[in-house]
């Protein structure tokens, strides 16, 4: 990259989506909206154009019949695809708008194949470490990034819920999004510092800025060493209370991450990821192999398998699912399974067979009341009868639990508890359904408050119902992975926390620095407070006091 003349320090502020600090030369990628060739095509050339298009995407002739006689294949495909992407982009919902990015990702690749174009920069073959600046990075592009050469990235668009942001956190690459107009103001070769903690990109940082961030980086290195030190140690409070700290996973290959992060087994195996992004349903045998692989790899640590939670924002690509006005309130999770009995039966049989490992537990998602639970358990009993008749072994003592993520489930938790062995609080949906807030909608995202008094009382009611019936209670939503909220949840009486593997060490670090009597005092304050912001401020203050090094990179 060329050396550019130094100017004064310039600061760009955006949205932090992946923590960390990096510095180096920037590489500005070109605008993703490349010009699309548009020219008339002679009638004799139309069959060749159709053949090229079908080879790239195997689209049917009917989809482009109206335009293929007038224009070439590239333009035809661009018009059709952009129509749908623009419709998504115009929707007033962050999540759906971000799916337009995914669609344009695929569109661009097909157009490149049609036109014989190659990407401007092959990010897999970068020769020099750099910070990537772009209008946007598609998920498939982000997946190519190598931490050795991609120090970090910043984009003009995007949010915390985008696939790109999620992948950045998974890859542990510092990232900032929402820096509107930044790619047009910068040039490759400029020197920059990217702060993924606070959402800042600083061009031509001064010596003082570099010194200040050098201190932060040194503290982060020290913190990482401390986190590595606690990974192999138990999650025990200073006054001797043992907490179960588990990991959330999506596929069998994630077991190595579970071990590496210091988690004690799996608190949430999201089985729907075995079903999506494929042409056919997974067979019972395929599912059995995946579940059994995880269970045997982590034995004797527990593995909690959640039955299929399709719907909402997760769909089977090969099934025609009716369009719903509000899919999060529609045909999803246990509701889907109780109607699609063939799918449910195959999964239950696979989980039962995998339970011979001896450390498997199972839970149903989105239970709203006792009738649904009874139907699901009756179906499970029928599967057990089938396996017995086939002389297929399984663990007859398999522990069954339910996700508590709907307010109605909390209100009848005492009834549910009589038919279960444990509860697992899905705080993401519990907050969304209780507060009527779509956390992916930027207009109301500020109302999505984990410390809202109503949410804390629902958690407390769930814990009380469970304790009265002799059940244990876990939390597997995002609250479980936030060290700021760890003491609050433990003080309320939660027995287990399950978070994404990269978050487990920080939560364990904090657990090992608190006392349960302090956590209970914090919970008592919170349960008697009327202000969500006041509760959050007290939680932040407490966490910073007992584990200051966890928060030193944040302004």
């Amino acid at each position: 990259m060329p050396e550019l003349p130094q100017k004064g320090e310039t600061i760009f502020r955006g949205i932090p989506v992946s923590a960390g600090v990096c510095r180096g030369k920037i590489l500005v990628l070109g605008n993703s909206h490349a010009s699309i060739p548009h020219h008339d095509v002679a009638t004799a050339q139309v069959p060749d154009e159709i053949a090229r298009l079908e080879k790239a995407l195997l689209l049917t002739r009917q989809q482009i019949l109206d335009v293929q006689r007038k224009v070439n294949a590239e333009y035809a495909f661009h018009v059709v695809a952009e129509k749908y992407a623009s419709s998504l982009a115009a929707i007033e919902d962050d999540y759906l708008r971000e799916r337009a990015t995914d669609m344009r990702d695929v569109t661009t690749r097909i157009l490149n194949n049609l036109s014989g174009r190659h990407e401007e920069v092959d990010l897999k073959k970068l020769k020099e470490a750099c910070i990537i600046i772009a209008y946007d990075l598609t998920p498939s592009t982000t997946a190519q990034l190598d931490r050795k050469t991609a120090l970090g990235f910043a984009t003009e668009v995007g949010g915390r819920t985008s696939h790109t942001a999620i992948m950045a956190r998974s890859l542990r690459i510092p990232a900032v999004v929402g820096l509107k107009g930044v790619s047009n103001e910068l040039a490759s070769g400029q020197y920059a510092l990217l702060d993924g903690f606070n959402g800042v990109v600083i061009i031509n940082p001064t010596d003082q800025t570099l010194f200040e961030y050098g201190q932060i980086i040194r503290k982060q290195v020290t913190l990482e060493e401390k986190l590595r030190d606690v990974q192999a140690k138990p999650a025990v409070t200073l006054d001797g209370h043992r907490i179960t700290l588990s990991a959330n996973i999506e596929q069998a290959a994630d077991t190595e991450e579970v071990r590496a992060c210091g988690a004690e087994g799996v608190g949430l195996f999201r089985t729907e990821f075995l079903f999506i992004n494929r042409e056919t349903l997974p067979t019972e045998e395929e599912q059995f192999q995946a579940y059994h692989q995880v269970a045997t790899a982590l034995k004797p640590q527990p593995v909690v398998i959640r039955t299929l939670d399709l719907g909402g924002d997760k769909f089977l690509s090969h099934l025609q699912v009716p369009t719903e006005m509000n899919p999060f309130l529609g045909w999803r999770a246990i509701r889907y399974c109780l109607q699609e009995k063939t799918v449910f039966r195959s999964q239950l049989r696979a989980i039962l067979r995998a339970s011979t490992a001896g450390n498997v537990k199972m839970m149903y998602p989105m239970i709203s009341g006792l009738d649904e639970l009874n139907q699901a358990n009756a179906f499970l009993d029928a599967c057990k009868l089938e396996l017995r008749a086939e002389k297929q072994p399984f663990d007859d003592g398999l522990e069954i639990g339910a996700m508590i993520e709907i307010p109605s489930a909390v209100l009848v938790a005492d009834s549910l508890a009589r038919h279960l062995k444990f509860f697992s609080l899905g705080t993401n949906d519990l907050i969304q359904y209780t507060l009527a807030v779509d956390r992916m909608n930027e207009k109301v995202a500020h109302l999505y408050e984990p410390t809202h008094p109503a949410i804390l009382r629902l958690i407390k009611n769930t814990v009380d119902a469970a304790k009265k019936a002799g059940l244990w209670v876990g939390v597997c939503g995002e609250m479980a992975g936030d060290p700021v909220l760890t003491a609050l949840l433990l003080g309320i009486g939660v027995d287990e926390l399950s978070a994404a593997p990269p978050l487990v060490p920080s939560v364990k670090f904090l657990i090992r620095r608190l006392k349960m009597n302090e956590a209970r005092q914090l919970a008592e304050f919170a349960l008697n407070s009327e202000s969500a912001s006041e509760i959050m401020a007290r939680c932040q203050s407490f966490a910073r006091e007992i584990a200051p090094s966890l928060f030193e990179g944040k302004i």
Side-chain angles (χ1 to χ4, degrees):
M1 287 179 283
E3 293 285 349
L4 294 176
Q6 296 292 302
K7 296 181 180 179
E9 179 177 283
T10 307
I11 299 176
F12 297 87
R13 300 188 184 277
I15 303 167
V17 296
S18 186
V21 175
C22 61
R23 57 188 182 183
K25 291 182 180 180
I26 64 172
L27 172 64
V28 180
L29 300 184
N31 193 307
S32 62
H33 300 291
S35 61
I36 306 299
H38 181 193
H39 53 81
D40 291 335
V41 174
T43 303
Q45 294 178 297
V46 171
D48 291 338
E49 293 294 299
I50 295 174
R52 290 200 299 124
L53 184 57
E54 289 180 341
K55 185 177 180 181
L57 189 61
L58 298 178
L59 287 177
T60 62
R61 295 172 187 264
Q62 290 77 10
Q63 288 177 302
I64 59 167
L65 193 58
D66 292 336
V67 290
Q68 67 187 217
R69 292 192 181 96
K70 299 178 181 178
V71 297
N72 57 309
E74 288 94 337
Y75 192 76
F77 178 79
H78 169 69
V79 168
V80 174
E82 187 61 26
K83 172 185 175 183
Y84 291 104
S86 297
S87 296
L88 282 173
I91 294 174
E92 290 190 7
D93 181 290
D94 275 359
Y95 182 85
L96 293 177
R97 280 204 303 272
E98 286 158 358
R99 301 295 73 77
T101 299
D102 301 340
M103 186 171 186
R104 286 186 170 122
D105 177 12
V106 177
T107 300
T108 299
R109 290 179 176 278
I110 295 168
L111 288 170
N112 285 345
N113 287 333
L114 280 167
S115 305
R117 289 197 303 261
H118 298 288
E119 291 189 39
E120 180 184 14
V121 177
D122 188 345
L123 296 179
K124 292 182 291 186
K125 299 179 180 179
L126 290 175
K127 296 180 180 179
E128 184 179 358
C130 62
I131 297 171
I132 297 166
I133 307 291
Y135 173 78
D136 194 12
L137 287 180
T138 63
S140 62
T141 300
T142 309
Q144 299 178 38
L145 300 181
D146 184 335
R147 290 180 62 190
K148 295 177 183 176
T149 52
L151 302 175
F153 70 79
T155 64
E156 294 189 25
V157 298
R160 287 193 59 84
T161 59
S162 68
H163 285 153
T164 299
I166 292 169
M167 292 181 71
R169 292 193 288 272
S170 177
L171 294 168
R172 301 185 187 183
I173 294 177
V176 179
V177 301
L179 292 160
K180 296 180 181 178
V182 69
S183 61
N184 293 324
E185 296 189 38
L186 303 179
S188 295
Q190 289 180 298
Y191 190 79
L193 183 148
L194 185 147
D195 174 2
F197 291 106
N198 303 293
V200 173
V201 173
I202 304 173
I203 303 299
N204 300 327
T206 64
D207 290 343
Q208 179 62 28
T209 298
L210 290 174
F211 173 78
E212 291 172 358
Y213 272 98
Q215 297 290 95
I216 292 175
I217 292 171
R218 278 191 286 275
K219 289 175 181 177
Q220 286 302 307
V221 170
T222 301
L223 173 60
E224 288 176 8
E225 291 172 354
K226 291 178 180 177
L227 295 181
R228 282 194 295 271
D229 182 58
V230 303
Q231 284 178 6
K233 296 177 180 178
V236 180
T237 64
L238 290 174
D239 47 356
H241 288 262
R242 180 70 180 264
I243 309 300
T244 302
L245 184 55
S246 308
N248 299 339
I249 67 169
E250 298 173 355
Q251 54 190 346
D254 294 338
T255 51
E256 188 54 45
E257 270 198 276
V258 176
R259 291 196 200 92
C261 74
E264 300 177 66
V266 172
L268 171 61
F269 187 163
R270 297 185 177 99
T271 59
E272 53 274 9
F273 289 91
L274 297 172
F275 288 73
I276 61 179
N277 296 324
R278 52 182 295 157
E279 293 300 317
T280 59
L281 288 167
T283 64
E284 177 185 320
E285 186 62 27
E286 284 180 272
Q287 293 183 69
F288 162 72
Q289 293 293 343
Y291 307 149
H292 194 258
Q293 179 182 335
V294 173
T296 53
L298 297 175
K299 191 175 180 178
Q301 295 176 336
V303 173
V304 180
I305 301 175
R306 181 177 69 186
T307 60
L308 202 53
D309 187 13
L310 284 175
D313 59 350
K314 300 181 289 288
F315 302 99
L316 293 176
S317 56
H318 60 284
L319 292 185
Q320 294 299 317
V321 179
T323 301
E324 297 180 305
M325 287 294 291
N326 192 333
F328 282 96
L329 299 179
W331 194 46
R332 59 169 294 202
I334 198 65
R335 301 169 181 179
Y336 171 89
C337 289
L338 290 175
Q339 292 187 39
E340 295 295 315
K341 292 182 170 57
T342 301
V343 175
F344 199 29
R345 174 179 174 272
S346 175
Q347 181 172 47
L348 292 180
R349 284 173 56 94
I351 294 172
L352 284 168
R353 289 172 56 197
S355 69
T356 55
N359 58 332
V360 171
K361 306 176 193 295
M362 187 184 80
M363 63 182 177
Y364 307 118
M366 207 180 173
I367 292 291
S368 62
L370 189 56
D371 284 347
E372 283 176 338
L373 177 58
N374 286 339
Q375 289 180 58
N377 278 339
F379 208 80
L380 180 67
D381 289 339
C383 290
K384 289 182 177 180
L385 285 175
E386 290 179 3
L387 292 176
R388 286 195 190 96
E390 298 167 13
K391 297 190 179 341
Q392 285 267 24
F394 63 90
D395 179 7
D396 201 27
L398 173 69
E399 287 190 22
I400 307 299
M403 295 279 289
I404 304 297
E405 48 192 343
I406 301 177
S408 63
V410 177
L411 296 175
V412 296
D414 54 345
S415 298
L416 298 177
R418 289 193 283 270
H419 304 269
L420 296 166
K421 294 296 184 183
F422 65 93
F423 290 149
S424 185
L425 284 151
T427 53
N428 300 357
D429 275 337
L430 185 62
I431 297 169
Q432 178 170 253
Y433 291 143
T434 303
L435 303 182
V437 171
D438 178 359
R439 64 197 176 103
M440 300 170 187
N441 185 331
E442 62 186 10
K443 290 184 173 62
V444 296
H446 65 284
L447 299 174
Y448 183 90
E449 297 177 300
T451 54
H452 191 291
I455 301 302
L456 301 186
R457 291 172 193 176
L458 289 173
I459 294 173
K460 180 65 163 61
N461 290 347
T462 302
V463 169
D464 288 347
K467 301 300 183 186
K468 186 176 179 180
L471 277 58
W472 60 270
V473 185
V475 176
C476 60
E478 288 186 16
M479 286 180 72
D482 187 347
V484 168
L485 302 176
T486 299
L488 177 60
L489 292 173
L490 299 184
I492 291 175
V494 167
D495 303 295
E496 182 223 31
L497 299 173
S498 188
L503 304 177
V504 168
S506 294
V507 174
K508 184 183 289 188
F509 184 81
L510 190 133
I511 289 173
R512 291 178 58 86
R513 279 157 181 75
L514 66 79
K515 296 178 181 178
M516 279 302 296
N517 67 315
E518 296 172 332
R520 293 189 185 105
Q521 289 171 12
L522 178 63
E524 183 179 3
F525 163 80
L527 291 167
N528 287 290
S529 175
E530 298 178 344
S531 168
S533 58
E534 189 177 66
I535 296 168
M536 178 59 82
R538 180 69 69 92
C539 290
Q540 291 173 334
S541 176
F542 178 76
R544 287 176 182 272
E545 181 181 338
I546 67 170
S549 55
L550 279 180
F551 308 98
E552 285 178 332
K554 299 180 181 179
I555 296 172

